[in-house]
Amino acid sequence: MNKGLLSVDEALEVLLAGARAVAEIEEVPTLEATGRVLARAQVSTMDVPPMDNSAMDGYALRSADVKAPDARLKVAQRIQAGSTGAALAPGSAARIFTGAPIPQGADAIVMQEFCAVDGEYVIVKKVPQPGEWVRLRGSDVRAGGEVLAAGARLRPQDTGLAASVGIAKLPVRRKLRLGLFFTGDELVMPGDPLPPGRIYNSNRFTLNGLARTFDCEVRDLGIVPDNLEATRAALRRAGAECDVIVTSGGVSVGEADFVKPAVEAEGSLLMWKIAMKPGRPLAFGRVGHAEKAAAFIGLPGNPVSSFVTFLVFVRPFLLRTQGIAEVAPRALSARADFDWLEPDARREFLRVKWNAQGGLDLYPTQDSAVLTSTSWADGFVDNPPNRAIRKGDTVRFLSYADFYG
Ligand code: AMP
Ligand code: MG
C-alpha cells in the first residue's frame, strides 16, 4: 500500500487512525476560552433567564384588569433592570423596563408605545394577551440541561452561553504544539535580497498562518537547507518540543530530497503518492520514539500543493489531535459557471470563486505553482477523477470558510 497511488480517502483514513488527542486538560477563564477545544460537556446548574422578566419597556399589569382599550391603572411602582419590585396590587400597574423582573401578580407587559401617562395613572390603549412580552424563567436554558458538548472548538457565542449560566472557567485541551520547517536551498526570506536562482519562502507564511488559524502553538524553525544532517537536526529539535511536525518540500524522490531519509533515521515513515491534483507526494510518520514521538506530516513544496494538502490532510489530523470529533469539512452543492472539459485522472481541487449570480467561476490557471489562484479563490471544487464539468453542472464545493471554521 505504501508504494502505490493512494486515494485521498484511503490516505486520510490511515492518517486519522494515527491521530491521538492531546491528553492534558487545563482550566481557563471563560473569557479566554474562545478558539480552545472544550474537553468536557457543560451542564447548567441554573435556569436562564433566572426569573420571569420583561421583554419591553412598558407597563406590567394583570391582563384581567384591561378588558377593553383605554383602561386606567394606577402606577404603583417602578422596576428597572437589576432591581426587584413588590407584588402588584389588583387594579394597578408597574412601570417596567426591559430585563426587569415581572412583579408577582402581573402576567403581561404592555409596550410603552401603547400607553399614555396621566399623572399617577397610565391609560392602556391596547388589550394585552396573558403572557405578552414576558420572558419566562428557564425559557432559554433549564437547570440540568447540557449547554455545550465536548469535542468542539469554542466560538465567541459558546463562551457567552457558558457565561450566561454562570460558568467562570472552562476545561479545555492543552494547545497543540506544532513544529514547522521549510526545506529548500532556493529559499530566501522576504526582507532579504533575492540572489539569482532563488525564490521567497512563501510556504512559511501560508502554513504558519494556517497553523494559527487552527489555534496551534507554532514553533517555526524556518528554512532548513537541503542536506541530511540539517534536516535530521531540525527534526530532532521540533520532535523534542512538539506534538506534530509539518514540513514543506523535499518529499519527492529527487537527489535533493532529504526528508524521507531524515525521518527514517529519526523515527519511522510512510511515503505516499496520492491520487490528487494538486499535491501528489505526502509523507506521514513519527519522529522520536514511543510515548515521546511526534507525528510527522511532510507536504510537497509547491505552494498550491502545500496549501491544499494542508487543508485536506493536516487540518483534520490537527483537529483530531486537538480532540475535535467532527473533522470533515462541510461540502455544498453549487453551480459551475465554467467548463472544465479535460479533467485529470486524479481527484482535483479546483480553485473557484463565487460570482454575483450565485455560481462559481474558475481561476484560469490551475497550475500548482500559481499561488495567486489560492488567494483569488473562495474555495475548491472537489472534482472526482475524470469528471468533465460543463456550465450549469452541479459540483461539490468546499468553501475556505468551512475549512477554517
Ligand atoms: P520540492 O517539493 O522541494 O521538490 O519543491 C517543489 C517546488 O516548490 C519547487 O519549485 C520549489 O522551489 C517550490 N518550493 C519549495 N518550498 C517552497 C517554499 N517554502 N516556498 C515557496 N516555494 C517552495
Ligand atoms: Mg526542494
Side-chain angles (χ1 to χ4, degrees):
M1 180 179 73
N2 300 348
K3 295 274 181 310
L5 205 62
L6 224 62
S7 76
V8 170
D9 290 337
E10 286 168 326
L12 206 50
E13 204 181 309
V14 179
L15 208 64
L16 292 181
R20 273 183 253 127
V22 166
E24 299 97 303
I25 293 170
E26 57 196 37
E27 295 255 318
V28 295
T30 302
L31 199 52
E32 286 158 30
T34 293
R36 306 296 299 272
V37 178
L38 188 64
R40 285 189 290 269
Q42 298 297 299
V43 171
S44 178
T45 56
M46 60 178 280
D47 288 336
V48 178
M51 70 282 168
D52 295 350
N53 70 96
S54 178
M56 285 290 166
D57 290 344
Y59 292 84
L61 42 74
R62 292 166 196 268
S63 54
D65 285 343
V66 184
K67 297 218 167 55
D70 298 325
R72 197 174 138 88
L73 301 175
K74 176 146 185 166
V75 181
Q77 56 180 318
R78 180 185 170 89
I79 313 171
Q80 281 184 296
S83 65
T84 52
L88 194 72
S92 75
R95 179 74 170 116
I96 198 164
F97 299 90
T98 305
I102 307 285
Q104 202 194 334
D107 70 343
I109 305 295
V110 177
M111 287 164 65
Q112 61 192 17
E113 288 81 348
F114 295 106
C115 298
V117 179
D118 177 15
E120 295 184 338
Y121 290 82
V122 59
I123 315 284
V124 182
K125 295 188 257 177
K126 176 178 175 287
V127 177
Q129 298 299 311
E132 197 168 314
W133 299 120
V134 175
R135 300 169 178 157
L136 291 176
R137 172 178 178 155
S139 56
D140 182 354
V141 177
R142 288 231 171 260
E146 181 175 301
V147 283
L148 294 171
R153 197 182 301 286
L154 293 162
R155 302 163 299 173
Q157 62 269 41
D158 301 324
T159 63
L161 181 58
S164 78
V165 302
I167 295 174
K169 286 183 176 174
L170 286 167
V172 297
R173 301 256 182 188
R174 167 172 69 69
K175 278 203 186 199
L176 193 153
R177 291 193 276 267
L178 179 74
L180 289 175
F181 66 85
F182 307 88
T183 72
D185 285 341
E186 71 277 36
L187 302 177
V188 174
M189 283 299 288
D192 291 339
L194 194 68
R198 312 283 288 273
I199 60 166
Y200 284 120
N201 181 5
S202 63
N203 288 351
R204 184 176 195 187
F205 295 79
T206 309
L207 301 192
N208 195 304
L210 284 167
R212 287 170 199 281
T213 297
F214 298 109
D215 203 41
C216 296
E217 224 173 82
V218 180
R219 308 278 160 90
D220 186 337
L221 305 185
I223 298 165
V224 170
D226 285 321
N227 71 66
L228 186 61
E229 255 330 297
T231 312
R232 286 186 63 174
L235 285 172
R236 281 196 300 272
R237 253 185 80 194
E241 297 180 357
C242 300
D243 304 299
V244 180
I245 305 168
V246 173
T247 64
S248 92
V251 286
S252 312
V253 280
E255 281 168 21
D257 295 319
F258 291 99
V259 168
K260 181 173 187 281
V263 180
E264 279 167 346
E266 297 295 333
S268 58
L269 184 80
L270 299 174
M271 274 296 296
W272 293 327
K273 283 193 182 133
I274 304 206
M276 70 183 284
K277 198 181 172 189
R280 201 197 293 238
L282 193 81
F284 175 51
R286 303 195 78 75
V287 169
H289 297 283
E291 295 298 274
K292 293 186 72 185
F296 172 85
I297 304 178
L299 305 179
N302 253 316
V304 180
S305 307
S306 61
F307 175 68
V308 175
T309 50
F310 190 106
L311 289 178
V312 172
F313 296 109
V314 178
R315 171 190 170 276
F317 188 83
L318 295 182
L319 298 191
R320 274 290 161 80
T321 310
Q322 289 174 324
I324 293 178
E326 182 59 58
V327 302
R330 184 205 336 247
L332 298 176
S333 291
R335 188 188 69 236
D337 286 347
F338 60 86
D339 286 324
W340 182 248
L341 301 177
E342 290 174 20
D344 200 271
R346 294 171 282 167
R347 180 168 166 183
E348 293 171 303
F349 292 85
L350 306 170
R351 274 77 70 210
V352 294
K353 183 184 174 85
W354 288 118
N355 60 36
Q357 290 70 46
L360 295 171
D361 291 335
L362 182 73
Y363 193 75
T365 318
Q366 293 289 323
D367 187 307
S368 68
V370 177
L371 196 51
T372 312
S373 65
T374 61
S375 185
W376 172 90
D378 291 323
F380 310 118
V381 164
D382 177 5
N383 197 42
N386 299 311
R387 156 94 77 82
I389 300 170
R390 287 185 179 74
K391 274 195 191 76
D393 283 356
T394 298
V395 292
R396 181 179 148 91
F397 175 62
L398 303 172
S399 166
Y400 291 159
D402 284 317
F403 280 111
Y404 297 158

